[in-house]
Amino acid sequence: MEEIMELLMILAFCVAIAVQLVRQISGKKAANPVTCAALAALCAGFLIGTVNKIITAPSSQMFLAYLSGFMLSYSALVLTFPGRKAV
């Protein structure tokens, strides 16, 4: 049950990051320092979660959910910097 709740939490964060990523790509939302800081914190949190799951439960595949969250938040973070355009 704990893993299901953890997976739902990760999924909720990933959906929020994906919405932010779509808003940045479409140009509807200009990035501000608060958005950049929040995405950096999410990126760091997902990276720490990935390393934690690899170390503590190497047989579990939960690290893939954390890794996908890291990749989403990193992509959104890169697009917050000025001069970056989505390809």
Side-chain angles (χ1 to χ4, degrees), residues 35-65:
T35 303
C36 186
L39 287 171
L42 283 167
C43 190
F46 278 119
L47 184 62
I48 291 168
T50 302
V51 172
N52 180 38
K53 284 298 173 182
I54 290 173
I55 291 172
T56 59
S59 62
S60 174
Q61 300 300 317
M62 186 67 76
F63 78 92
L64 293 173

Side-chain angles (χ1 to χ4, degrees), residues 9-30:
M9 177 195 68
I10 293 170
L11 182 65
F13 280 129
C14 286
V15 167
I17 295 168
V19 168
Q20 178 65 30
L21 190 60
V22 168
R23 290 177 75 185
Q24 287 176 341
I25 290 172
S26 66
K28 291 183 180 177
K29 173 120 171 58

Side-chain angles (χ1 to χ4, degrees), residues 67-83:
L67 190 60
S68 63
F70 169 73
M71 294 304 293
L72 270 173
S73 58
Y74 180 74
S75 299
L77 180 64
V78 167
L79 290 176
T80 60
F81 294 110

